[in-house]
Amino acid sequence: MARNNVLRKQRVYEMIKQYVLSKGKVLDVSCGNGEILDWLRQDGYSVRGTNYTKHPDACKSVDIDWGVDICKGLPYKDCTYDCVILLDVIAHLSDHNAAIREISRVIKPGGYIIVVTPNIMRINSRLHFLLTGFFKAKRAFIGFDVPGEEAFKFHNYSPHLPVFLYQLHSHNLNFFLIDAVGYKMKSYLMWFLLVPIIIPMTFYKTHVMEKFIRRSGASKLLFNILVSSKSLCGENWFIMARKSNENGIDT
Protein backbone atom coordinates (compact mmCIF):
# COMPACT_ATOMS: atom_id res chain seq x y z
CA MET A 1 0.00 0.00 0.00
CA ALA A 2 1.37 3.41 -0.98
CA ARG A 3 2.57 5.49 1.95
CA ASN A 4 0.20 8.38 1.15
CA ASN A 5 -2.74 5.96 1.15
CA VAL A 6 -1.69 4.61 4.55
CA LEU A 7 -1.37 8.16 5.94
CA ARG A 8 -4.85 9.09 4.71
CA LYS A 9 -6.45 6.05 6.32
CA GLN A 10 -4.58 6.55 9.58
CA ARG A 11 -5.57 10.21 9.74
CA VAL A 12 -9.26 9.39 9.21
CA TYR A 13 -9.04 6.76 11.94
CA GLU A 14 -7.42 9.26 14.32
CA MET A 15 -10.04 11.93 13.60
CA ILE A 16 -12.88 9.53 14.37
CA LYS A 17 -11.21 8.37 17.56
CA GLN A 18 -10.79 12.00 18.62
CA TYR A 19 -14.25 13.36 17.81
CA VAL A 20 -16.72 10.45 17.63
CA LEU A 21 -17.70 8.77 20.86
CA SER A 22 -16.73 5.13 21.27
CA LYS A 23 -19.53 2.74 20.25
CA GLY A 24 -20.77 5.37 17.80
CA LYS A 25 -22.13 4.32 14.41
CA VAL A 26 -19.80 4.91 11.46
CA LEU A 27 -20.59 4.57 7.75
CA ASP A 28 -17.83 4.46 5.12
CA VAL A 29 -19.22 5.20 1.64
CA SER A 30 -17.34 3.30 -1.08
CA CYS A 31 -15.18 1.76 1.63
CA GLY A 32 -12.99 -0.40 -0.61
CA ASN A 33 -11.67 -3.30 1.44
CA GLY A 34 -13.17 -1.84 4.64
CA GLU A 35 -9.84 -1.58 6.46
CA ILE A 36 -10.68 1.60 8.40
CA LEU A 37 -14.00 0.12 9.47
CA ASP A 38 -12.25 -3.01 10.72
CA TRP A 39 -9.91 -0.90 12.86
CA LEU A 40 -12.88 0.97 14.31
CA ARG A 41 -14.86 -2.24 14.86
CA GLN A 42 -12.03 -3.57 17.01
CA ASP A 43 -12.26 -0.36 19.08
CA GLY A 44 -15.96 -0.89 19.80
CA TYR A 45 -17.58 1.22 17.06
CA SER A 46 -20.64 0.00 15.16
CA VAL A 47 -19.57 0.07 11.51
CA ARG A 48 -21.00 -0.41 8.05
CA GLY A 49 -19.66 0.14 4.55
CA THR A 50 -20.96 0.52 1.02
CA ASN A 51 -19.38 -0.20 -2.34
CA TYR A 52 -20.58 0.36 -5.87
CA THR A 53 -18.57 -2.59 -7.16
CA LYS A 54 -17.35 -5.78 -5.47
CA HIS A 55 -13.96 -5.87 -3.76
CA PRO A 56 -12.57 -9.41 -3.56
CA ASP A 57 -10.24 -8.46 -0.68
CA ALA A 58 -12.97 -6.88 1.48
CA CYS A 59 -12.79 -7.57 5.23
CA LYS A 60 -15.06 -10.46 6.15
CA SER A 61 -15.64 -8.99 9.61
CA VAL A 62 -17.28 -5.80 8.25
CA ASP A 63 -20.84 -5.52 6.94
CA ILE A 64 -20.71 -4.03 3.43
CA ASP A 65 -23.69 -3.28 1.20
CA TRP A 66 -22.89 -3.76 -2.48
CA GLY A 67 -24.18 -1.93 -5.55
CA VAL A 68 -24.86 1.32 -3.66
CA ASP A 69 -24.84 4.54 -5.73
CA ILE A 70 -24.80 7.42 -3.26
CA CYS A 71 -26.14 9.89 -5.84
CA LYS A 72 -29.25 7.72 -6.17
CA GLY A 73 -29.68 7.36 -2.42
CA LEU A 74 -28.34 5.43 0.57
CA PRO A 75 -30.39 2.48 1.89
CA TYR A 76 -30.48 3.80 5.47
CA LYS A 77 -32.96 5.69 7.64
CA ASP A 78 -32.65 9.38 8.52
CA CYS A 79 -30.28 10.34 11.36
CA THR A 80 -28.69 6.89 11.64
CA TYR A 81 -24.93 7.56 11.81
CA ASP A 82 -22.59 9.50 14.07
CA CYS A 83 -19.99 9.80 11.31
CA VAL A 84 -19.87 9.26 7.55
CA ILE A 85 -16.55 8.85 5.70
CA LEU A 86 -15.88 9.67 2.05
CA LEU A 87 -12.27 8.67 1.45
CA ASP A 88 -11.25 9.31 -2.18
CA VAL A 89 -14.89 9.25 -3.27
CA ILE A 90 -16.16 12.77 -3.92
CA ALA A 91 -13.84 13.33 -6.91
CA HIS A 92 -15.54 10.41 -8.67
CA LEU A 93 -19.09 11.76 -8.23
CA SER A 94 -20.74 13.93 -10.85
CA ASP A 95 -23.32 15.38 -8.45
CA HIS A 96 -21.70 16.61 -5.24
CA ASN A 97 -24.87 18.33 -4.09
CA ALA A 98 -26.94 15.12 -4.28
CA ALA A 99 -24.24 13.16 -2.44
CA ILE A 100 -23.91 15.73 0.36
CA ARG A 101 -27.67 16.01 0.74
CA GLU A 102 -27.96 12.25 1.13
CA ILE A 103 -25.09 12.09 3.63
CA SER A 104 -26.60 14.91 5.68
CA ARG A 105 -29.86 12.97 5.77
CA VAL A 106 -28.32 9.88 7.37
CA ILE A 107 -26.09 11.76 9.85
CA LYS A 108 -27.43 12.42 13.32
CA PRO A 109 -27.52 16.04 14.58
CA GLY A 110 -24.08 16.63 16.06
CA GLY A 111 -22.57 13.94 13.83
CA TYR A 112 -19.66 14.38 11.45
CA ILE A 113 -18.74 13.99 7.81
CA ILE A 114 -15.10 13.43 6.86
CA VAL A 115 -14.19 14.02 3.21
CA VAL A 116 -10.73 13.13 1.88
CA THR A 117 -9.90 14.13 -1.68
CA PRO A 118 -7.02 15.19 -3.92
CA ASN A 119 -6.33 18.87 -3.37
CA ILE A 120 -6.59 20.66 -6.71
CA MET A 121 -6.22 24.00 -4.89
CA ARG A 122 -2.60 23.28 -3.97
CA ILE A 123 -0.06 25.64 -5.45
CA ASN A 124 1.50 23.30 -8.02
CA SER A 125 -1.99 22.40 -9.27
CA ARG A 126 -2.78 26.09 -9.72
CA LEU A 127 0.41 26.57 -11.73
CA HIS A 128 -0.32 23.44 -13.72
CA PHE A 129 -3.73 24.89 -14.64
CA LEU A 130 -2.14 28.19 -15.65
CA LEU A 131 0.27 26.44 -18.02
CA THR A 132 -1.93 23.64 -19.40
CA GLY A 133 -5.59 24.39 -18.67
CA PHE A 134 -5.78 21.22 -16.54
CA PHE A 135 -5.77 21.05 -12.76
CA LYS A 136 -3.20 18.55 -11.48
CA ALA A 137 -5.36 15.57 -10.60
CA LYS A 138 -4.08 12.31 -9.18
CA ARG A 139 -4.96 10.27 -12.23
CA ALA A 140 -5.20 10.82 -15.97
CA PHE A 141 -8.21 12.71 -17.27
CA ILE A 142 -11.05 10.76 -18.81
CA GLY A 143 -10.83 9.89 -22.49
CA PHE A 144 -13.74 10.58 -24.78
CA ASP A 145 -13.93 6.86 -25.62
CA VAL A 146 -14.75 5.83 -22.02
CA PRO A 147 -18.30 4.42 -21.67
CA GLY A 148 -20.53 6.42 -19.35
CA GLU A 149 -20.93 3.56 -16.89
CA GLU A 150 -17.16 3.52 -16.35
CA ALA A 151 -16.66 7.27 -15.94
CA PHE A 152 -16.76 6.97 -12.14
CA LYS A 153 -13.31 5.34 -12.22
CA PHE A 154 -11.69 8.71 -13.02
CA HIS A 155 -11.09 11.80 -10.85
CA ASN A 156 -13.37 13.92 -13.03
CA TYR A 157 -14.97 16.00 -10.29
CA SER A 158 -12.38 17.10 -7.73
CA PRO A 159 -14.17 19.71 -5.59
CA HIS A 160 -13.43 23.41 -5.82
CA LEU A 161 -13.10 24.31 -2.14
CA PRO A 162 -15.18 27.54 -1.89
CA VAL A 163 -18.11 25.90 -3.70
CA PHE A 164 -17.76 22.63 -1.79
CA LEU A 165 -17.82 24.37 1.59
CA TYR A 166 -20.96 26.21 0.50
CA GLN A 167 -22.58 22.90 -0.45
CA LEU A 168 -21.76 21.44 2.96
CA HIS A 169 -23.17 24.50 4.71
CA SER A 170 -26.33 24.50 2.58
CA HIS A 171 -27.11 21.00 3.87
CA ASN A 172 -26.63 21.90 7.51
CA LEU A 173 -23.05 20.60 7.64
CA ASN A 174 -20.99 23.40 9.07
CA PHE A 175 -17.26 23.64 8.53
CA PHE A 176 -15.28 22.24 11.43
CA LEU A 177 -11.64 21.74 10.41
CA ILE A 178 -9.33 21.20 7.48
CA ASP A 179 -6.16 19.15 7.39
CA ALA A 180 -3.82 17.74 4.75
CA VAL A 181 -1.20 15.08 4.11
CA GLY A 182 1.33 14.49 1.35
CA TYR A 183 3.61 17.53 1.57
CA LYS A 184 6.47 17.80 -0.95
CA MET A 185 9.57 19.96 -0.82
CA LYS A 186 8.81 21.53 -4.20
CA SER A 187 5.43 22.68 -2.89
CA TYR A 188 7.07 24.42 0.04
CA LEU A 189 9.54 26.06 -2.32
CA MET A 190 6.76 27.37 -4.56
CA TRP A 191 4.85 28.48 -1.45
CA PHE A 192 7.88 30.45 -0.24
CA LEU A 193 8.28 32.17 -3.61
CA LEU A 194 4.63 32.92 -4.36
CA VAL A 195 2.85 33.40 -1.04
CA PRO A 196 3.78 37.14 -0.90
CA ILE A 197 1.65 37.51 -4.04
CA ILE A 198 -1.03 34.97 -3.16
CA ILE A 199 -1.92 36.49 0.22
CA PRO A 200 -2.81 40.03 -0.93
CA MET A 201 -4.52 38.79 -4.10
CA THR A 202 -6.63 36.30 -2.14
CA PHE A 203 -7.50 38.91 0.47
CA TYR A 204 -8.65 41.32 -2.23
CA LYS A 205 -10.71 38.60 -3.91
CA THR A 206 -12.43 37.33 -0.75
CA HIS A 207 -12.89 40.67 1.04
CA VAL A 208 -13.51 43.09 -1.84
CA MET A 209 -14.34 41.52 -5.19
CA GLU A 210 -16.68 38.71 -4.16
CA LYS A 211 -19.67 40.65 -2.86
CA PHE A 212 -21.85 37.61 -2.12
CA ILE A 213 -19.09 35.92 -0.14
CA ARG A 214 -18.50 39.16 1.73
CA ARG A 215 -22.21 39.64 2.40
CA SER A 216 -22.56 36.12 3.80
CA GLY A 217 -19.70 36.66 6.24
CA ALA A 218 -17.55 33.91 4.72
CA SER A 219 -14.67 36.13 3.60
CA LYS A 220 -12.39 35.54 6.57
CA LEU A 221 -13.03 31.79 6.63
CA LEU A 222 -12.25 31.31 2.95
CA PHE A 223 -9.23 33.61 3.04
CA ASN A 224 -7.67 31.81 6.00
CA ILE A 225 -8.14 28.42 4.35
CA LEU A 226 -7.02 29.37 0.85
CA VAL A 227 -3.72 30.93 1.99
CA SER A 228 -2.89 28.26 4.59
CA SER A 229 0.10 25.96 4.06
CA LYS A 230 -2.29 23.00 4.24
CA SER A 231 -4.32 24.27 1.30
CA LEU A 232 -1.33 25.43 -0.73
CA CYS A 233 1.05 22.53 -0.09
CA GLY A 234 -0.92 19.42 0.90
CA GLU A 235 -1.46 16.79 -1.81
CA ASN A 236 -4.66 15.54 -0.18
CA TRP A 237 -6.95 17.43 2.13
CA PHE A 238 -9.35 16.39 4.86
CA ILE A 239 -12.53 18.40 5.30
CA MET A 240 -14.50 17.69 8.45
CA ALA A 241 -17.94 19.20 9.05
CA ARG A 242 -20.52 18.76 11.78
CA LYS A 243 -24.27 18.53 11.36
CA SER A 244 -26.30 21.14 13.20
CA ASN A 245 -29.83 20.63 14.44
CA GLU A 246 -32.79 22.28 12.67
CA ASN A 247 -32.09 25.57 14.44
CA GLY A 248 -28.51 25.63 13.19
CA ILE A 249 -27.05 24.81 16.60
CA ASP A 250 -24.54 22.02 17.14
CA THR A 251 -25.64 19.44 19.65
Side-chain angles (χ1 to χ4, degrees), residues 121 126 160-163 165 198-228:
M121 304 297 292
R126 299 186 194 188
H160 182 256
L161 185 62
V163 176
L165 291 183
I198 291 173
I199 287 177
M201 292 296 293
T202 306
F203 183 89
Y204 182 69
K205 184 67 172 176
T206 55
H207 287 74
V208 179
M209 292 296 294
E210 293 294 335
K211 63 179 180 180
F212 296 114
I213 289 176
R214 187 176 70 249
R215 187 182 69 187
S216 67
S219 296
K220 183 178 180 180
L221 171 67
L222 289 177
F223 170 76
N224 287 339
I225 294 171
L226 291 172
V227 301
S228 69

Side-chain angles (χ1 to χ4, degrees), residues 44-144:
Y45 290 87
S46 174
V47 300
R48 195 167 198 92
T50 77
N51 271 320
Y52 184 65
T53 57
K54 285 270 187 177
H55 280 255
D57 60 343
C59 294
K60 305 299 183 183
S61 57
V62 174
D63 291 327
I64 299 176
D65 297 313
W66 305 101
V68 176
D69 183 345
I70 185 176
C71 291
K72 294 181 179 178
L74 294 170
Y76 313 115
K77 295 180 180 180
D78 295 358
C79 303
T80 299
Y81 292 97
D82 298 289
C83 182
V84 177
I85 306 166
L86 284 98
L87 173 59
D88 296 333
V89 175
I90 200 71
H92 298 272
L93 304 178
S94 61
D95 192 341
H96 292 177
N97 194 61
I100 295 168
R101 180 176 61 244
E102 187 63 6
I103 289 169
S104 180
R105 180 185 67 79
V106 302
I107 292 178
K108 299 176 184 178
Y112 298 93
I113 177 177
I114 300 174
V115 180
V116 186
T117 186
N119 175 15
I120 63 167
M121 304 297 292
R122 66 193 190 278
I123 198 165
N124 62 337
S125 178
R126 299 186 194 188
L127 290 174
H128 193 269
F129 184 85
L130 173 67
L131 297 174
T132 68
F134 290 82
F135 282 113
K136 195 171 179 61
K138 286 295 181 181
R139 296 181 183 174
F141 282 87
I142 189 169
F144 283 18

Side-chain angles (χ1 to χ4, degrees), residues 184-201:
K184 295 181 178 179
M185 185 60 67
K186 64 181 180 181
S187 296
Y188 282 119
L189 178 60
M190 287 187 285
W191 178 84
F192 178 77
L193 294 173
L194 295 175
V195 77
I197 301 172
I198 291 173
I199 287 177
M201 292 296 293

